[in-house]
Amino acid sequence: MAELFSRMGDSTPIKAHIEISDLAMSRGGMPLFAGISTKVLNGDILWIQGDNGIGKTTFLGALAGLHMVDDGKISWRINDHPCQAGQITAYQPHASYAKPALTAREDLNFWASLYGTLTLAETALETVGLSTKTNVPTRKLSAGQRRRLALAKLVISQKPIWIMDEPAAAMDQDGLKLIDDLVRNHVARGGAAIIASHSPARVLSQATRKLTLRATS
Amino acid sequence: MINYLANPIRFLKFSKVAAPIFGWLSLGTFVWGLYLALIASPPAIEHGQSVRMMYVHVPAAWGAQMAYTALTIASLVSFIWRHPLADSAARSFALPGTAFTFLALVTGSLWGRPAWGTWWQWDGRMTSVLILLFIYLGYLAIWNIIPERKRAARLASILAMVGFINIPIIKFSVDWWNTLHQPASISSPGAPGMPPEILWPLLVMVTAYTLLFGWLSLRGIEADIVKSRKTRAESKPAATATIETL
Amino acid sequence: MIWSLIKRDLILAMRSGGTWLYGLFFFAVFIALCAIALGGAFNVMRPFAPAIIWLAVIFSAMLSFPAIFQSDFEDGNLAQLKISGQSLLGVCTAKAVSFATLSILPLILAAPLAAILFDMSSVSIAAVMLSIGFATPALAIYGLLAGAILAGRQGGGFLIVLITTPFLIPILIFGVEATQSYVQSGLGAVEFRVLIGLSLISIAVGLPAASAALKANLE
């Protein structure tokens, strides 16, 4: 872990933040939530909670710049200048997006080549505990191992704000500790994390804020 | 004017007045045009009575192309400004356009029977109209298969615009492919050589089709606006968020 | 980025257990069926041979169109590509290149075999291969456009045929005409210039439209 983060250099990530004002979104024409306003700054851990189907995934996708919003505004900023969502956020979706036919190393290297961080890929695989699985096709990995691979992608993206959708699902005790450590190190370097989770990993007890989505009765 | 009408409520008000005007004018022009075409005008020298099919066919072909042009303009507006009214308009232009295209094919075939001796000829014009029908059907299918309205509007507008650019290419290739088609004077009203007793009924019929298109489109847009308002009104209240600092 | 994506797609195709060859099998089956339907006499079939080969190419390509974006759309790779800040125009370019390589190039290489089955002259064989080659960008890009529009829709197969047909008709017309003119005028035939023109138009218009459609499907 220490090696990975030291390899990333000591440059604190750029001062990035996301500003959400009066956000309203819907899915398939049905409104999900409305009137959300908050800010995510460097060093923040924002814990998103809510029942199934309330719109957590849609909310996270919007923060990653995936969806159009119905109303309100999300603005992504570097040093207070507006930027594209992709410049400052990395998104770990709930489902694995590893290509089944590629080996763990090939899959990670593909993304590393896009992010320009090929030098980090090998260390990242070791850090997430996949060093013995580098040449195994990802379809032969367990669900938990695929989640570890997704964590490695989050790290090598070198983006200051991590957006994680249920990272703890299918993870063993070791895995939960891994998430804890990664997020803690990331935030210590000046990064931020937005995490949707039902089962709080220990790191979530350090969350600076908790956002709960509740149905209006 | 366009800015003023861009608001759906104002548009509905405008349409309440304008649609019936288009409707009644269209009906009147049709009666007048059909009288001129079927009774007042003389049979053509080489085509005989069957030339009267032209008064139904040529305006339908014109309507089909006009509707597609209108559809493309609405799509352009929808694509650039993402305006819901332009979505409604584009969608409402497509149905009458498809109907006109189909009518042009059927009447062309009926007209072709005495003129060519067969129900169908692979001549440049008929083939182009047939391909236009495919374009319309593909466009309508996009609206059909994609449930999310905004996304359907966007994808349909992209297809409509690329399709519009493709139309002259299709015309060019089909003409290249079959240089044996009817002389051009039949499809272009007002061309030299078209006597006024044929030209007049034709122009009246073209006007009638255009007014009909206006009426159908306005009614279509009205229905579309009302429908999308209803779905919005029916939906349940959204969730809210509470934020605690830990 | 474009090169990484092409390389990845080629590796995936090689490991797919030969599914990328299905288009080629279809091509062979289509040609055999046509020969059987036409009675199998060379003197009857020879005039139709370029048209049949062209039809086989078009249908084979159409059947491959839905797969262009399907798996990357469903497993979230396209969404990741978009939010990681990659240009969708670049993604579309990469996809067009890998589609041309995996789905059309094999057909061009197989065309001489098909030509043997119709007893075509070597000049005609060269003409067929060249005409398909010049039309490849247009074939790939209009398929890409339809695939991008219908990404994530189940049962889009027939619809993709309907949507792409108007775009493929000019290509079919000039492709078949080009094979016939080549015998007299060689590569100088006007039809080849038109095919190149069609490919250039598809790059200028179809590629941005495909990336816009992809964007619409990802938001």
Side-chain angles (χ1 to χ4, degrees):
Chain A
M1 181 81 52
E3 194 201 340
L4 176 63
F5 280 92
S6 69
R7 263 173 174 265
M8 287 163 79
D10 53 6
S11 64
T12 4
I14 34 177
K15 283 235 174 294
H17 78 267
I18 303 181
E19 211 172 307
I20 304 153
S21 48
D22 211 20
L23 178 70
M25 295 197 65
S26 58
R27 181 175 53 214
M30 293 302 257
L32 286 169
F33 49 77
I36 300 185
S37 299
T38 187
K39 264 187 189 182
V40 181
L41 301 161
N42 295 58
D44 264 353
I45 299 175
L46 180 64
W47 175 17
I48 316 280
Q49 255 219 323
D51 297 336
N52 292 334
I54 201 94
K56 293 190 297 294
T57 297
T58 309
F59 180 58
L60 292 184
L63 295 186
L66 254 183
H67 307 308
M68 295 279 291
V69 304
D70 284 6
D71 210 357
K73 199 170 166 345
I74 306 175
S75 56
W76 295 269
R77 288 166 176 275
I78 297 175
N79 298 329
D80 243 15
H81 295 293
C83 66
Q84 294 287 310
Q87 286 174 269
I88 58 169
T89 61
Y91 175 52
Q92 180 191 2
H94 180 64
S96 157
Y97 60 99
K99 280 285 169 193
L102 295 181
T103 65
R105 178 186 279 135
E106 286 169 334
D107 195 56
L108 188 64
N109 278 348
F110 169 70
W111 291 100
S113 73
L114 297 194
Y115 294 126
T117 52
L118 272 168
T119 47
L120 290 177
E122 216 51 37
T123 328
L125 274 176
E126 262 168 51
T127 309
V128 299
L130 290 176
S131 49
T132 57
K133 306 282 179 192
T134 50
N135 291 321
V136 177
T138 65
R139 73 166 169 275
K140 291 187 181 160
L141 296 179
S142 72
Q145 286 166 334
R146 276 200 286 264
R147 295 217 146 251
R148 286 163 184 262
L149 183 59
L151 286 173
K153 291 180 194 169
L154 215 51
V155 175
I156 59 144
S157 74
Q158 295 261 56
K159 299 284 158 65
I161 300 177
W162 290 359
I163 298 172
M164 307 163 85
D165 197 353
E166 296 290 345
M171 280 294 209
D172 53 17
Q173 282 305 314
D174 249 23
L176 293 179
K177 188 172 176 307
L178 175 69
I179 300 173
D180 267 12
D181 291 346
L182 285 173
V183 173
R184 191 179 304 117
N185 273 292
H186 177 65
V187 172
R189 289 178 78 234
I194 302 165
I195 306 170
S197 185
H198 289 296
S199 51
R202 268 163 301 170
V203 68
L204 289 178
S205 57
Q206 306 169 1
T208 43
R209 275 170 311 149
K210 181 166 105 173
L211 187 152
T212 313
L213 288 169
R214 266 194 206 93
T216 43
S217 43
Chain B
M1 174 77 175
I2 290 184
N3 250 335
Y4 177 80
L5 289 177
N7 176 317
I9 297 174
R10 279 199 291 250
F11 183 87
L12 281 180
K13 268 191 204 153
F14 161 80
S15 185
K16 281 268 168 324
V17 181
I21 296 178
F22 272 93
W24 288 111
L25 273 180
S26 168
L27 190 68
T29 335
F30 260 114
V31 172
W32 181 33
L34 285 174
Y35 166 76
L36 287 181
L38 301 184
I39 300 161
S41 77
I45 300 145
E46 74 267 48
H47 288 296
Q49 293 294 346
S50 71
V51 75
R52 301 195 193 282
M53 191 56 84
M54 177 181 75
Y55 301 117
V56 197
H57 169 78
V58 172
W62 147 259
Q65 290 177 36
M66 173 189 59
Y68 199 83
T69 311
L71 168 62
T72 309
I73 294 169
S75 297
L76 191 70
V77 173
S78 149
F79 186 81
I80 297 175
W81 289 287
R82 296 185 188 245
H83 200 290
L85 189 64
D87 302 347
S88 297
R91 191 181 190 178
S92 309
F93 293 156
L95 218 54
T98 315
F100 286 156
T101 315
F102 188 68
L103 187 66
L105 280 178
V106 172
T107 52
S109 170
L110 289 173
W111 186 15
R113 180 68 186 148
W116 298 319
T118 49
W119 293 108
W120 181 264
Q121 274 297 318
W122 286 100
D123 81 323
R125 202 164 310 111
M126 289 296 269
T127 313
S128 297
V129 175
L130 181 63
I131 299 170
L132 184 62
L133 183 66
F134 295 158
I135 296 179
Y136 269 122
L137 292 178
Y139 177 85
L140 286 172
I142 297 292
W143 274 104
N144 238 347
I145 199 173
I146 297 168
E148 309 96 320
R149 191 187 157 82
K150 279 184 188 169
R151 179 169 301 169
R154 208 149 175 78
L155 294 170
S157 74
I158 293 170
L159 186 67
M161 289 186 291
V162 184
F164 185 75
I165 294 169
N166 198 38
I167 284 177
I169 301 175
I170 291 174
K171 272 209 144 42
F172 168 68
S173 7
V174 169
D175 285 346
W176 183 283
W177 168 71
N178 192 344
T179 41
L180 301 168
H181 51 85
Q182 295 247 337
S185 73
I186 285 176
S187 83
S188 37
M194 174 100 45
E197 63 267 30
I198 291 180
L199 185 60
W200 263 110
L202 200 54
L203 285 179
V204 174
M205 286 302 283
V206 165
T207 315
Y209 271 73
T210 310
L211 289 167
L212 176 65
F213 174 71
W215 180 65
L216 288 172
S217 313
L218 284 175
R219 298 291 296 166
I221 297 171
E222 275 178 33
D224 206 48
I225 292 174
V226 171
K227 202 173 90 188
S228 62
R229 297 196 151 244
K230 215 190 215 164
T231 44
R232 212 175 311 156
E234 275 170 1
S235 48
K236 65 174 171 53
T240 52
T242 50
I243 297 165
E244 311 156 44
T245 309
L246 300 169
Chain C
M1 184 279 283
I2 294 176
W3 172 237
S4 301
L5 192 54
I6 295 172
K7 201 175 84 183
R8 191 205 68 167
D9 278 354
L10 296 185
I11 292 174
L12 286 175
M14 292 310 131
R15 291 188 193 159
S16 65
T19 47
W20 63 286
L21 285 170
Y22 291 175
L24 192 59
F25 300 158
F26 172 85
F27 178 79
V29 167
F30 185 89
I31 288 193
L33 287 179
C34 284
I36 291 167
L38 288 174
F42 283 137
N43 57 347
V44 175
M45 297 192 301
R46 211 174 285 122
F48 296 115
I52 292 171
I53 295 176
W54 255 99
L55 278 180
V57 168
I58 293 230
F59 282 127
S60 170
M62 276 177 170
L63 288 176
S64 315
F65 289 158
I68 298 178
F69 290 113
Q70 202 63 22
S71 75
D72 277 329
F73 187 84
E74 277 168 3
D75 65 15
N77 269 272
L78 275 178
Q80 280 296 334
L81 283 169
K82 183 195 167 202
I83 58 181
S84 67
Q86 306 301 324
S87 100
L88 290 177
L89 195 60
V91 172
C92 286
T93 310
K95 287 285 177 186
V97 173
S98 49
F99 179 81
T101 315
L102 291 166
S103 299
I104 301 190
L105 188 63
L107 304 184
I108 298 179
L109 297 178
L113 292 174
I116 290 173
L117 298 177
F118 291 122
D119 193 32
M120 284 165 77
S121 67
S122 54
V123 183
S124 303
I125 298 173
V128 169
M129 293 175 77
L130 284 167
S131 63
I132 302 170
F134 282 120
T136 298
L139 275 174
I141 287 167
Y142 288 124
L144 212 67
L145 173 61
I149 288 177
L150 294 176
R153 314 287 148 196
Q154 295 302 319
F158 286 111
L159 196 48
I160 234 167
V161 171
L162 181 61
I163 289 177
T164 48
T165 297
F167 298 107
L168 299 188
I169 284 172
I171 302 170
L172 177 67
I173 288 176
F174 283 101
V176 176
E177 300 279 332
T179 58
Q180 271 141 18
S181 310
Y182 181 80
V183 181
Q184 285 111 42
S185 339
L187 274 181
V190 185
E191 286 85 350
F192 281 103
R193 266 174 272 162
V194 178
L195 280 180
I196 293 171
L198 290 175
S199 284
L200 290 177
I201 291 173
S202 76
I203 292 170
V205 176
L207 215 48
S211 85
L214 209 52
K215 182 155 178 278
N217 259 322
L218 287 171
E219 61 186 25

